[in-house]
Amino acid sequence: MAVITDALCPFCGCVCDDLTIVTENNKITEVKHACKLGAAKIMGHHRIKAPMMRKDKHSEFKEVSYEEAINEAARILSNSKRPLLYGWASAVCEVHKKGILLAEELGAIIDNTATVCHAPSTLAVHEKGLPSATLGQIKNRADVIVFWGSNPVHAHPRHMGRYSVFAKGLFSEKGRKGRKVIVLDVRKTETANMADEFVQLEQGSDYLVVSALRAILSGHADVVPESVGGVSKDALLKLVDTLKTGKFVGIFFGMGLTQSKSRYKNIDNAISLVTELNAFTKCVITPMRGHYNVTGFGNVCAWETGFATAVDFSRGAPYYNPGETAANDVLIRKETDAAMIIAGDAGAHFPADSVRHLARIPIIQIDPYWNATTEVANVVIPVAICGVEVEGTAYRMDGVSLRMRKMIEPTHPPDTEILEKITERVKVLRGE
Amino acid sequence: MQTVTLKPIKEIKISVEAENISPDKFAGKTEKDIQSLEAWMGNQKTTLGELFSVKAEGSGAAADTKIVMDGNFSRIKRIGEGMTAGLIIIKGNVDMHLGAKMSGGKISVTGNVDSWAGREMKGGELIIEGNAGYYLGAGYRGETCGMRGGKITVLGNALDFLGEHMCGGEIIVKGNAGILPGLSNNGGKIVIEGNTSRPGSEMSKGTIIINGLVDEMMPVFKAEGTEAVDGVTYRKYTGDVIVNGKGVLYLK
Amino acid sequence: MELLIKNGSVYDPSNGIKGDKTDISIKDGKIVEKVSSNASVIDAGGRLVMPGGVDAHSHIAGAKVNMGRIMRPEDTRAGIKPRTKITRPCTGYTVPNVYAMGYRYAQMGYTTVFEAAQAIMKARHTHEELEEIPIIDKGALTLFGSNWPTMDFVREKNMDKLAAYVAWGLLASRGFGIKCVNPGGGEMWGFGKNVTGLDDVVPNFDVTPKDIIVSLMKVNEMLGLPHSVHLHCNNLGKPGNYKTTLASMELAKQVKPSKDRQVLHVTHVTFNCWGGTNWGDFESKADEIANYLNNSENITTDMGQLIFGSATTMTADGPVQYANAKLLHAKWANGDVELEDASGVVPIFYAKQVSIHAIMWAMGLELALLTKDPYKVLLTTDHPNGGPFVNYPEVIALLMSNKKRQEEIKTLHEAVHKRTKIPGIERELDFNDIAIMTRAGHAKVLGLLDTKGHLGVGADADIAIYDIKPDQIDPSVEHAKIKSAFQSAAYTIKGGEVVVKDGQITATPMGRTYWVDASVPDEHTEIMMKDIRMKFKNYYSINLANYMVQDEYLTHPKVVRAGVIPAEVS
């Protein structure tokens, strides 16, 4: 029996680093301190046993060797005029680097799972920046916590205990008792149930409500009508007052804000609200990122290409324009003629039109797990699980970089090795 | 005077980047020269001659060059990018970035255009008889200025974010517009004949006139009574108050 | 591998060589007495040869830089170059991608560059980027000026614990030296406030910026670190701040250097030699700073020269960045780091007709031209705060040619005449001065003069050859030639390997990452660690076991040993 302490959780953007893992005979037998979601991921499920291929998407998979699968993957990709390399969020940064190199080699589009959750936040950052802080700064100082369109009880179970609502620190020794918790959402979520204040918005009205708050904050309450987005003016005035008089305000937003009407403009507007609040108090804003290393992909992609995601290498130099170069942009237009889906499940999370196109083109899947993408794949290459069987770097939702630990020995090769071999093979096929 | 006629010779599925389709690039070139101009289809380098039949007559400077495009160009991007003079007449639909960064000349399209038409346009004229996509006359991501000059007319509808970050110029949409037209308008003029929603957010300068219905009004404008523009009486608003804006919004 | 550079007109200030025709022999990456007849030969043909450029202050890697990229796609698209057979794609102007960082420095003949600020908690990120910057050697300075342990130990006046913390912090961050940014201000920015002077008391910690600066200087010398304390002064970005800068410099008198170098490096003086009381009476006091430098020992500075056009300001000085964002109505990123420091990123455009910018342009030049000893003023742009590093050749040309300066002044806001001394300064620097300000001086300030910034036997074979014949050019008149030659080295040799020829990248070896391993008595570490463990238990949001940068993030490390306990020199 072996015990690994201070282990990191490869599930959500909280990347909790206080887990204790008990293993026996290279099997994980116990996961301590993790939430249910994290523990379930670490304990494992539905592994793909061996590489598989099939002639067409209606036939059965046949097990093949790694070499065969890698050669076929390289053949498909190097024949493609508009290849897409998508996923990445459940892999460590070392994998992202290899992926970007392959994208360069192929003249591919590389995009990550943020495209269906927080990529709109990045578009907002282009417009307004991002006044933020590490989670510990919030834990030590915040006396007002706002969850806007995010529901940590459900999606980030340990967030409130470790970093926000309940966390105690130097200037917040009372924890929950010293904090006001506000939830803005279209429905009364589990998080709203435990908040001090719940502000219910009409569906799709976030943008209007943020603007009303900004108008009040800038001294123009007179132009704000009696009700905005289903919220009374009195409630808006009170909310502005609460935000202004906090000593340190931490705002966390989720897909309720990024994926509703006006999309990234909601975040854009909210970032301005935060900036303007800093004239009165300290205020920071943090996206509640989903996959544990979706933030890592954005960082690696930015330092390697200059752009955070959705990079099109088709002309040899990086080009970036979400709306044109993101995965779903090219899938819905049926431009993509081959795709590699790695460490992310496009089959489960993409819009129906995109999935329909994925079902028509050759797909290579690289993943430890059998999932919806497997159902549309032609070549399936199983790999070791990053953060469980493979160590490497991940970036927490606040951009703190951490080294994921290896808990047990892998039974499959790591993503990096597969990507290196595909890249080598592509070079051979192209006569380089 | 030079007239160049392009017609598609095959069905194009993967969009083509063809910034070389421009009077500036065609001026003074022979049919063969034009055929060999570079274009990119996905990650494949190709030529205009591979994709289109090219007929060139006469010769002239950019200002005297007319490009006639006849057929479906709905997967051809960046037509007329950066053009300074001349004329492009498109009988059909086109893809994204039509006339991006153009500073002179004229482009007219009988069909629909995809997003970012007139992106960062500085001058010249763009006439779209069909519908326009998103970000008509807007900027590139992160830039503070979109369209700075020139005129865009859309006879059909336009989608969201038209005229975002406009610093000058004029956009007229005869049909409806999507949400947030004139967002962060910093000096442009926008006229929407049809309906729209959430106009003029964060505008600091410029004018937006809406003759149709406004579905949702931003709670950031000061009502200033009524005012007549070209003989029509409008309700006048100024804002966006958050940014101390001097922008003017006229609603019917 | 042997290489011989013949017929160079060599400028090697620390070896007293000023344009002599000297041959340079290279073997196994080092400069040696002589090489065999098998050595390959580069005939410099009388052209200018200098040690490879060294940059002691630039923002090339880490959380701030990457935030600059993420928030500025409009900048990224401004410098795009496709991949080639040997180079990865390049992007960006003020915030280039990692590849462009390495290639563009090398193309200018630079071979060693230090990132000027990393918080310990985000150091892993800095090293991830440093690991991917090709060609150049690099390192990073670690922030200590607002860290809770620093302030606790300063308050306790326990220099042993503070020294142990600095040594441990350098190990944890694999850092090269002590960076101190707006000391105390980083903590106060945690609640949206700031210190206003050296004697303000930081709430809850009961220390002043003065206490912090002096204590850090003391432990820096106790530890015998190669570099000195590297200070970004309080009140940066506020008119009248030159007084704070002078008062900070005065503190250096309290500490004796442990080595042949300064005890205090005051960085990017362009941003803290400001006179006046507001934007209306804003004026340059660079002359006062230069005057102070001329009459003091043990203090060095760098210019932080302003370059007209686009820049991206990025600093651990969180409050100044919020002020900038408000003033400029610009997008703003803030990056507070728990228990350690703050940071911010704001884009800016420096315009010739804006009076403040024209005055700031003059400040860096005044400082460099009015300070007699070029070892006291290093050439930097505080990349990318004053402007991108690719503009160093422009700065070199300005320093070497009064004619160029006068031509430029004609295009600037008239305030440059009334609020600065630059129009009347006629001094023109020579190649020796430039070699000091771009290599020898940097190496000396960093404490790396044993192997960097010179061409004597035993030095790293990092060499630049420029397409200028010093005896056949009048830089004062032919300043355009000077600029273009420094933009595009005829050769850059890194560790004995030709990495640039005729301005083009020819090889992309990986450089090394310098960090300092400073030893302290175990009992000091033990007592210090009690406090640190308490801080992790109660305040940090990660566990101590996951804090320190692992070996995996330095695949080409270069350890420099220092410490209270004398250790063998590596």
Side-chain angles (χ1 to χ4, degrees):
Chain A
M1 191 183 89
V3 177
I4 300 155
T5 56
D6 305 297
L8 296 98
C9 179
F11 183 72
C12 82
C14 287
V15 197
C16 298
D17 73 330
D18 61 343
L19 275 50
T20 297
I21 309 292
V22 182
T23 71
E24 204 156 357
N25 298 327
N26 207 38
K27 288 236 154 48
I28 294 167
T29 54
E30 198 183 350
V31 178
K32 294 180 189 169
H33 312 309
C35 67
K36 278 184 188 167
L37 303 170
K41 160 105 195 238
I42 294 165
M43 296 297 282
H45 57 101
H46 303 304
R47 292 292 290 272
I48 303 166
K49 275 192 290 189
M52 310 180 294
M53 283 170 28
R54 56 182 169 183
K55 277 214 176 66
D56 59 73
K57 302 204 181 198
H58 307 293
S59 55
E60 293 290 308
F61 279 114
K62 260 174 57 184
E63 285 193 10
V64 296
S65 69
Y66 273 96
E67 193 187 351
E68 227 175 313
I70 285 165
N71 286 349
E72 177 62 4
R75 190 193 63 78
I76 290 169
L77 291 171
S78 57
N79 284 339
S80 167
K81 289 181 182 150
R82 198 78 171 130
L84 169 68
L85 312 183
Y86 170 83
W88 310 105
S90 292
V92 290
C93 295
E94 289 73 5
V95 177
H96 304 161
K97 294 172 197 172
K98 301 283 179 201
I100 290 164
L101 186 59
L102 177 59
E104 272 179 44
E105 193 65 47
L106 291 167
I109 285 178
I110 186 162
D111 193 11
N112 83 110
T113 59
T115 199
V116 283
C117 61
H118 270 286
S121 312
T122 305
L123 298 183
V125 171
H126 302 334
E127 300 288 331
K128 299 288 177 60
L130 187 66
S132 196
T134 64
L135 294 169
Q137 184 81 328
I138 295 160
K139 140 180 153 158
N140 279 296
R141 298 180 196 263
D143 58 345
V144 177
I145 300 272
V146 180
F147 293 105
W148 196 318
S150 66
N151 184 10
V153 171
H154 179 72
H156 299 83
R158 297 186 71 208
H159 187 280
M160 293 187 294
R162 279 174 62 80
Y163 310 124
S164 57
V165 176
F166 301 104
K168 292 180 182 173
L170 184 61
F171 306 107
S172 55
E173 64 281 345
K174 289 188 191 149
R176 176 68 181 91
K177 286 200 187 103
R179 287 200 176 94
K180 185 158 252 182
V181 178
I182 302 165
V183 170
L184 291 99
D185 217 313
V186 295
R187 62 192 171 86
K188 193 153 194 193
T189 60
E190 297 93 321
T191 308
N193 283 330
M194 54 194 300
D196 299 303
E197 283 174 31
F198 169 54
V199 180
Q200 189 157 15
L201 316 179
E202 281 168 8
Q203 183 83 39
S205 66
D206 305 78
Y207 190 89
L208 299 169
V209 171
V210 177
S211 287
L213 295 172
R214 290 179 66 196
I216 293 167
L217 189 66
S218 66
H220 295 97
D222 56 319
V223 307
V224 176
E226 282 314 306
S227 165
V228 178
V231 187
S232 73
K233 186 171 178 178
D234 282 345
L236 293 168
L237 287 165
K238 187 168 156 243
L239 182 54
V240 168
D241 197 50
T242 306
L243 296 173
K244 265 169 78 172
T245 51
K247 282 197 183 112
F248 187 113
V249 180
I251 298 178
F252 295 97
F253 66 95
M255 285 167 61
L257 206 52
T258 66
Q259 301 293 335
S260 62
K261 186 176 176 183
S262 292
R263 286 172 56 103
Y264 78 93
K265 296 300 182 190
N266 296 330
I267 320 301
D268 173 319
N269 212 2
I271 291 170
S272 289
L273 172 66
V274 169
T275 302
E276 287 151 10
L277 274 166
N278 274 277
F280 302 90
T281 179
K282 182 67 185 267
C283 182
V284 298
I285 184 164
T286 304
M288 295 286 260
R289 306 299 298 261
H291 291 81
Y292 77 97
N293 198 26
V294 69
T295 310
F297 182 85
N299 271 292
V300 175
C301 197
W303 76 59
E304 299 217 344
T305 74
F307 301 115
T309 186
V311 178
D312 181 354
F313 280 104
S314 59
R315 293 177 71 167
Y319 173 69
Y320 167 81
N321 191 29
E324 181 179 11
T325 62
N328 284 299
D329 301 331
V330 277
L331 285 170
I332 288 168
R333 288 165 65 112
K334 299 178 186 144
E335 286 195 32
T336 308
D337 56 354
M340 184 178 94
I341 315 288
I342 173 167
D345 188 2
H349 301 296
F350 273 8
D353 281 353
S354 294
V355 176
R356 266 196 290 278
H357 187 63
L358 287 172
R360 285 187 208 110
I361 59 173
I363 302 289
I364 300 134
Q365 183 192 26
I366 302 177
D367 209 294
Y369 304 113
W370 192 294
N371 59 31
T373 299
T374 319
E375 308 298 334
V376 293
N378 301 60
V379 181
V380 179
I381 306 178
V383 285
I385 306 168
C386 288
V388 176
E389 300 169 339
V390 180
E391 61 183 315
T393 321
Y395 284 69
R396 201 167 68 175
M397 63 168 72
D398 57 349
V400 170
S401 136
L402 293 161
R403 187 159 186 85
M404 308 299 289
R405 288 166 193 271
K406 185 199 242 188
M407 300 169 186
I408 49 171
E409 288 303 316
T411 49
H412 295 78
D415 301 82
T416 47
E417 185 186 319
I418 302 298
L419 290 174
E420 271 170 24
K421 287 184 172 165
I422 292 175
T423 308
E424 277 165 32
R425 184 71 192 154
V426 165
K427 283 184 178 174
V428 169
L429 290 171
R430 298 194 158 187
E432 285 177 27
Chain B
M1 185 73 196
Q2 180 178 16
T3 303
V4 181
T5 307
L6 301 181
K7 286 182 186 171
I9 51 178
K10 56 171 112 170
E11 193 198 355
I12 295 169
K13 286 182 179 163
I14 295 171
S15 55
V16 170
E17 298 202 3
E19 67 276 15
N20 276 331
I21 303 180
S22 155
D24 295 81
K25 305 285 172 61
F26 285 6
K29 287 202 168 68
T30 64
E31 214 164 79
K32 217 171 169 189
D33 291 341
I34 293 168
Q35 279 166 351
S36 62
L37 283 173
E38 182 184 298
W40 283 78
M41 181 189 281
N43 57 21
Q44 306 290 306
K45 201 192 279 192
T46 177
T47 61
L48 297 184
E50 288 283 319
L51 303 169
F52 311 113
S53 69
V54 179
K55 211 173 112 197
E57 289 164 316
S59 182
D64 299 321
T65 297
K66 180 165 92 174
I67 303 173
V68 180
M69 302 177 66
D70 192 355
N72 182 11
F73 298 92
S74 61
R75 285 293 153 92
I76 311 298
K77 290 175 177 170
R78 300 172 62 176
I79 296 167
E81 179 175 294
M83 69 187 264
T84 63
L87 179 63
I88 304 179
I89 296 166
I90 303 161
K91 299 170 186 167
N93 302 330
V94 296
D95 205 344
M96 296 175 184
H97 305 293
L98 175 73
K101 289 190 158 180
M102 71 187 278
S103 58
K106 186 174 164 182
I107 303 177
S108 69
V109 188
T110 61
N112 302 325
V113 304
D114 213 316
S115 303
W116 286 286
R119 166 176 59 80
E120 299 173 275
M121 184 170 166
K122 296 189 202 88
E125 197 178 356
L126 197 52
I127 297 168
I128 298 154
E129 292 180 24
N131 300 321
Y134 297 93
Y135 294 103
L136 178 72
Y140 180 67
R141 303 204 176 276
E143 292 283 5
T144 47
C145 267
M147 183 174 178
R148 291 167 192 265
K151 186 176 176 183
I152 303 176
T153 307
V154 180
L155 302 187
N157 304 320
L159 295 175
D160 304 347
F161 314 132
L162 84 87
E164 187 188 29
H165 291 302
M166 259 177 106
C167 289
E170 187 178 358
I171 300 177
I172 297 165
V173 177
K174 298 287 184 190
N176 302 323
I179 56 167
L180 292 167
L183 179 57
S184 300
N185 184 358
N186 193 31
K189 183 181 177 188
I190 297 171
V191 180
I192 299 166
E193 298 291 348
N195 307 330
T196 186
S197 188
R198 303 182 182 182
S201 182
E202 294 188 345
M203 74 189 282
S204 57
K205 279 188 253 172
T207 306
I208 303 176
I209 300 171
I210 297 162
N211 288 326
L213 298 172
V214 173
D215 178 26
E216 287 172 316
M217 180 69 178
M218 293 300 303
V220 295
F221 284 95
K222 226 179 266 176
E224 308 269 12
T226 57
E227 191 173 303
V229 181
D230 298 333
V232 182
T233 303
Y234 289 93
R235 285 174 289 141
K236 181 185 176 186
Y237 296 86
T238 57
D240 175 336
V241 296
I242 299 168
V243 295
N244 263 325
K246 308 280 177 280
V248 184
L249 179 59
Y250 293 104
L251 306 183
K252 255 199 177 152
Chain C
M1 254 299 277
E2 291 186 323
L3 180 64
L4 180 66
I5 300 170
K6 288 172 68 169
N7 301 321
S9 178
V10 178
Y11 280 85
D12 181 10
S14 64
N15 291 305
I17 299 169
K18 297 182 184 180
D20 305 356
K21 293 276 183 309
T22 315
D23 292 352
I24 300 166
S25 301
I26 296 159
K27 189 176 178 183
D28 299 332
K30 291 278 185 184
I31 295 178
V32 294
E33 285 286 354
K34 58 178 181 187
V35 283
S36 71
S37 55
N38 295 329
S40 22
V41 176
I42 292 173
D43 187 348
R47 287 178 292 180
L48 175 65
V49 177
M50 285 185 180
V54 181
D55 192 345
H57 188 111
S58 182
H59 296 283
I60 56 169
K64 289 189 305 295
V65 178
N66 221 32
M67 179 45 80
R69 297 183 185 110
I70 291 171
M71 73 192 271
R72 298 206 65 188
E74 79 281 12
D75 184 83
T76 297
R77 76 167 175 165
I80 294 209
K81 209 177 147 195
R83 73 201 295 252
T84 69
K85 281 209 165 102
I86 58 165
T87 58
R88 304 281 298 265
C90 291
T91 60
Y93 172 58
T94 71
V95 278
N97 63 340
V98 285
Y99 310 113
M101 291 278 186
Y103 303 149
R104 290 178 192 167
Y105 262 114
Q107 283 167 319
M108 295 194 306
Y110 273 69
T111 47
T112 306
V113 182
F114 278 72
E115 160 58 44
Q118 59 171 349
I120 304 172
M121 192 176 178
K122 292 201 167 174
R124 195 172 289 100
H125 179 165
T126 308
H127 286 284
E128 277 223 275
E129 291 193 30
L130 290 178
E131 281 287 295
E132 295 208 53
I133 297 178
I135 302 176
I136 56 175
D137 284 344
K138 55 249 161 176
L141 304 180
T142 303
L143 291 160
F144 286 101
S146 279
N147 304 39
W148 291 3
T150 299
M151 292 189 292
D152 285 346
F153 303 150
V154 169
R155 186 183 59 249
E156 293 167 19
K157 297 190 168 42
N158 191 331
M159 294 302 106
D160 289 338
K161 273 164 85 176
L162 183 58
Y165 175 60
V166 166
W168 179 77
L170 291 177
L171 172 67
S173 61
R174 301 304 172 101
F176 185 77
I178 299 176
K179 179 74 182 294
C180 181
V181 172
N182 184 22
E187 161 54 29
M188 288 188 67
W189 181 241
F191 283 117
K193 305 208 161 41
N194 197 4
V195 288
T196 60
L198 287 167
D199 295 311
D200 280 14
V201 175
V202 181
N204 307 305
F205 290 90
D206 203 21
V207 294
T208 65
K210 185 186 280 175
D211 299 335
I212 297 169
I213 296 167
V214 172
S215 303
L216 286 173
M217 285 194 292
K218 281 182 186 162
V219 303
N220 195 95
E221 300 315 311
M222 276 169 70
L223 290 166
L225 300 180
H227 186 36
S228 68
V229 166
H230 193 116
L231 178 67
H232 160 131
C233 292
N234 299 104
N235 283 332
L236 183 139
K238 293 181 201 159
N241 63 16
Y242 80 103
K243 288 180 189 159
T244 308
T245 306
L246 290 174
S248 303
M249 288 175 157
E250 193 66 13
L251 299 176
K253 287 182 177 157
Q254 298 183 31
V255 183
K256 281 207 163 55
S258 60
K259 300 189 134 65
D260 178 22
R261 55 142 172 75
Q262 75 290 348
V263 284
L264 182 65
H265 181 80
V266 174
T267 191
H268 44 63
V269 171
T270 287
F271 297 94
N272 36 275
C273 62
W274 295 5
T277 56
N278 57 52
W279 300 118
D281 62 2
F282 182 83
E283 61 177 344
S284 169
K285 289 287 184 184
D287 54 333
E288 300 251 1
I289 307 288
N291 189 38
Y292 189 93
L293 290 171
N294 287 335
N295 292 293
S296 71
E297 291 307 314
N298 303 338
I299 296 170
T300 55
T301 64
D302 62 84
M303 296 165 74
Q305 177 63 34
L306 179 144
I307 302 295
F308 292 112
S310 180
T312 302
T313 64
M314 53 177 67
T315 168
D317 196 336
V320 84
Q321 290 299 63
Y322 174 65
N324 272 338
K326 257 175 85 168
L327 186 72
L328 302 165
H329 302 290
K331 47 188 165 185
W332 170 50
N334 181 71
D336 292 1
V337 182
E338 61 204 65
L339 287 85
E340 295 183 8
D341 221 317
S343 80
V345 185
V346 178
I348 192 168
F349 189 90
Y350 295 120
K352 292 184 175 190
Q353 285 304 321
V354 171
S355 62
I356 309 293
H357 299 164
I359 296 166
M360 285 175 67
W361 171 84
M363 288 171 173
L365 298 171
E366 286 178 287
L367 178 78
L369 296 166
L370 295 175
T371 303
K372 287 171 191 154
D373 179 359
Y375 276 101
K376 290 182 179 169
V377 185
L378 309 180
L379 191 159
T380 68
T381 58
D382 185 16
H383 165 87
N385 285 284
F389 65 81
V390 291
N391 295 287
Y392 289 173
E394 164 77 8
V395 184
I396 291 171
L398 285 166
L399 292 172
M400 295 188 86
S401 170
N402 184 33
K403 184 167 177 280
K404 179 174 170 75
R405 293 198 295 271
Q406 298 303 333
E407 285 166 8
E408 185 74 9
I409 286 166
K410 281 183 203 150
T411 69
L412 304 184
H413 189 279
E414 58 178 9
V416 76
H417 290 278
K418 295 177 208 150
R419 309 282 179 79
T420 84
K421 305 271 189 308
I422 198 69
I425 300 174
E426 290 175 2
R427 185 180 174 197
E428 294 181 329
L429 301 187
D430 61 20
F431 287 114
N432 191 59
D433 298 326
I434 294 300
I436 293 168
M437 292 180 66
T438 57
R439 33 274 277 166
H442 288 260
K444 182 159 187 236
V445 162
L446 288 166
L448 289 175
L449 202 49
D450 54 341
T451 55
K452 296 291 182 191
H454 77 105
L455 297 171
V457 170
D460 289 345
D462 298 348
I463 302 163
I465 305 175
Y466 297 106
D467 196 8
I468 311 170
K469 291 178 181 166
D471 52 355
Q472 291 174 25
I473 190 166
D474 179 357
S476 179
V477 180
E478 297 167 273
H479 53 76
K481 268 191 190 167
I482 295 287
K483 181 175 167 179
S484 78
F486 278 104
Q487 276 172 335
S488 166
Y491 287 91
T492 305
I493 294 156
K494 168 69 179 49
E497 183 177 3
V498 175
V499 291
V500 172
K501 190 168 182 298
D502 300 327
Q504 299 302 310
I505 302 290
T506 54
T508 61
M510 278 315 291
R512 294 169 298 177
T513 300
Y514 281 67
W515 69 280
V516 170
D517 186 0
S519 61
V520 295
D522 288 346
E523 60 267 33
H524 295 172
T525 302
E526 272 163 37
I527 188 163
M528 178 274 298
M529 284 307 293
K530 271 189 193 163
D531 287 51
I532 297 294
R533 276 191 284 273
M534 187 279 288
K535 288 195 164 55
F536 275 91
K537 185 163 170 279
N538 296 326
Y539 307 136
Y540 269 107
S541 65
I542 63 173
N543 284 2
L544 178 56
N546 294 315
Y547 184 66
M548 302 181 82
V549 173
Q550 292 86 350
D551 288 341
E552 283 83 353
Y553 298 94
L554 285 89
T555 55
H556 302 78
K558 170 72 183 168
V559 188
V560 178
R561 294 194 196 281
V564 174
I565 303 165
E568 86 277 18
V569 180
S570 95

